[in-house]
Amino acid sequence: LFCPTELAMSNLRNESFDNMPLEFKNVGDVMLDSALYYSNRANPPDWFDKMNLSDGFALATLHRAENTDNPTRLNSIIEALNEIHLSIPVILPLHPRTQKAVNDLGVNPKVNIVEPLGYLAMISLLKSCSFVLSDSGGLQKEAYFFEKCCLILRDETEWTELVVSGNNILVGTDKRSIIEAVDIVGEVNDFSASFFGDGSAAQQVVASLISAHKSST
């Protein structure tokens, strides 16, 4: 079993996996491998330079059903983004599910709405943004990879290490909580911990499989 973090290793030990006839190893997260590999290959979208965002911007994503399918939560998040946009530009690549929910609800986002972006474009925006607001599981980690704080628009997170360390903030969907969290972005951030390895997860997995194969033949 290949684990992405030391906490994942602890979870397996707590479930007595170390008493089973198998091995488990912390190799790091393959998402970090990918982010590092494509970092220098990522270019911003064509529209980016025209927005004049040299003074900073917030990158937001919103797609999780628990938010898009709940009118109260969706409206609260949109209102928070609108208010944040008054002090720092917010870029929101709008997921089709969110677009439909916004239209059905009659909500009026007053941020920079853009089309959904590909992986390389998102990596580029992550590298240059000031901070992130998202309900995405993966983007929480990718923000950390590029040393950006993520305000998590959910009531829980899979990546508790990033919240406990202060690098990400679990803000939920309450408008006031989201807005107030913006004021403390960057207060605790310390990106020196290697929660997700060193970017060699794939190589470690392959090496382990080759070693296991040789020992079994």
Side-chain angles (χ1 to χ4, degrees):
L1 302 179
F2 298 110
C3 296
T5 66
E6 191 55 43
L7 179 58
M9 294 282 286
S10 297
N11 289 339
L12 291 181
R13 294 188 188 99
N14 291 338
E15 296 177 10
S16 297
F17 272 69
D18 49 356
N19 295 322
M20 299 181 186
L22 52 77
E23 296 181 35
F24 51 97
K25 180 180 181 181
N26 181 6
V27 296
D29 197 317
V30 291
M31 283 186 66
L32 176 58
D33 294 19
S34 179
L36 294 177
Y37 179 81
Y38 287 108
S39 175
N40 294 328
R41 297 166 173 79
N43 294 310
D46 294 338
W47 46 258
F48 182 76
D49 289 338
K50 301 174 184 177
M51 284 194 175
N52 191 26
L53 300 170
S54 58
D55 291 332
F57 67 95
L59 176 62
T61 70
L62 180 59
H63 73 274
R64 196 169 289 270
E66 65 196 56
N67 289 332
T68 61
D69 296 351
N70 185 312
T72 300
R73 294 170 71 95
L74 179 60
N75 189 66
S76 180
I77 293 172
I78 295 298
E79 287 185 356
L81 294 179
N82 286 345
E83 188 162 331
I84 293 167
H85 185 66
L86 297 176
S87 56
I88 182 171
V90 175
I91 294 179
L92 176 62
L94 204 57
H95 190 282
R97 186 218 308 274
T98 313
Q99 180 69 73
K100 182 179 185 305
V102 165
N103 293 342
D104 292 346
L105 188 59
V107 178
N108 181 26
K110 299 176 182 178
V111 301
N112 295 313
I113 300 293
V114 298
E115 292 292 318
L117 299 173
Y119 180 68
L120 293 179
M122 281 296 293
I123 290 295
S124 176
L125 294 188
L126 273 173
K127 292 171 63 177
S128 56
C129 73
S130 301
F131 61 93
V132 177
L133 305 102
S134 180
D135 59 7
S136 165
L139 199 60
Q140 298 174 39
K141 292 190 293 180
E142 290 170 330
Y144 179 79
F145 297 162
F146 295 104
E147 301 189 356
K148 304 298 167 68
C149 177
C150 178
L151 305 186
I152 305 169
L153 306 173
R154 293 170 58 188
D155 299 322
E156 60 185 11
T157 177
E158 302 84 357
W159 309 107
T160 55
E161 303 97 323
L162 300 181
V163 174
V164 171
S165 65
N167 290 288
N168 287 351
I169 305 173
L170 195 63
V171 296
T173 59
D174 176 72
K175 174 184 174 181
R176 189 49 47 193
S177 296
I178 297 170
I179 293 170
E180 290 176 353
V182 173
D183 294 332
I184 60 174
V185 165
E187 285 189 2
V188 188
N189 298 141
D190 177 4
F191 298 96
S192 60
S194 300
F195 292 119
F196 302 99
D198 60 6
S200 65
Q203 290 93 329
Q204 292 186 61
V205 169
V206 171
S208 294
L209 294 176
I210 291 174
S211 176
H213 175 70
K214 288 181 178 179
S215 63
S216 64
T217 57

